[in-house]
Amino acid sequence: KKLLKRRHYFMAFADDVVVGMLCVDEYVRDEKTSPGIFSMYVCPSHRGLRVSSQLLDAAKGYVRGFGHDSLFLDVVVGNERAISFYRREGFVPYGSLRVMESDAGRQMMTMVCQL
């Protein structure tokens, strides 16, 4: 399998204005490298309009094109809206929770989607 060589950004536009963004890059966990989502954002005015799902669909297709069969991401424990969304999109928890590097008071959950 080829590994992604650099970050790849997916953008969603409405009337030539960026309303959503998703970034895919190499994700290292348990000494393995796989594709992972490192950030996703949708403007509040466009939430609930399937922009997030469309961004994820594009990322999944891109990752499959490199011959990978899974896509990882981390989400903050307690962000139930995001966790519910990722579950609807086929992601499931993977491994144990871990402390967030930038904020030791929060925990991260890794999730994976089989493509």
Side-chain angles (χ1 to χ4, degrees):
K1 295 176 192 171
K2 294 180 181 177
L3 296 178
L4 305 172
K5 297 298 181 191
R6 61 175 188 221
R7 289 183 179 174
H8 189 86
Y9 290 90
F10 298 86
M11 308 294 235
F13 293 87
D15 299 320
D16 296 326
V17 175
V18 175
V19 296
M21 180 278 304
L22 180 148
C23 176
V24 174
D25 201 350
E26 291 182 345
Y27 181 96
V28 179
R29 181 80 194 259
D30 301 329
E31 299 182 22
K32 296 179 185 175
T33 302
S34 303
I37 295 172
F38 281 85
S39 60
M40 179 161 55
Y41 179 79
V42 174
C43 294
S45 61
H46 285 76
R47 293 180 187 163
L49 302 176
R50 294 205 24 87
V51 173
S52 297
S53 294
Q54 292 169 343
L55 288 167
L56 270 179
D57 287 346
K60 289 175 182 178
Y62 176 75
V63 167
R64 272 193 297 270
F66 278 90
H68 293 280
D69 58 5
S70 58
L71 181 62
F72 287 82
L73 59 82
D74 290 327
V75 63
V76 176
V77 172
N79 187 346
E80 293 306 320
R81 182 175 179 177
I83 291 169
S84 293
F85 167 72
Y86 291 129
R87 285 183 185 275
R88 284 192 308 274
E89 294 294 326
F91 286 83
V92 296
Y94 175 87
S96 57
L97 301 180
R98 62 187 199 291
V99 174
M100 182 184 235
E101 290 180 22
S102 61
D103 183 349
R106 300 174 97 180
Q107 290 186 311
M108 300 296 290
M109 176 194 317
T110 299
M111 299 183 84
V112 64
C113 179
Q114 299 302 315
L115 303 176

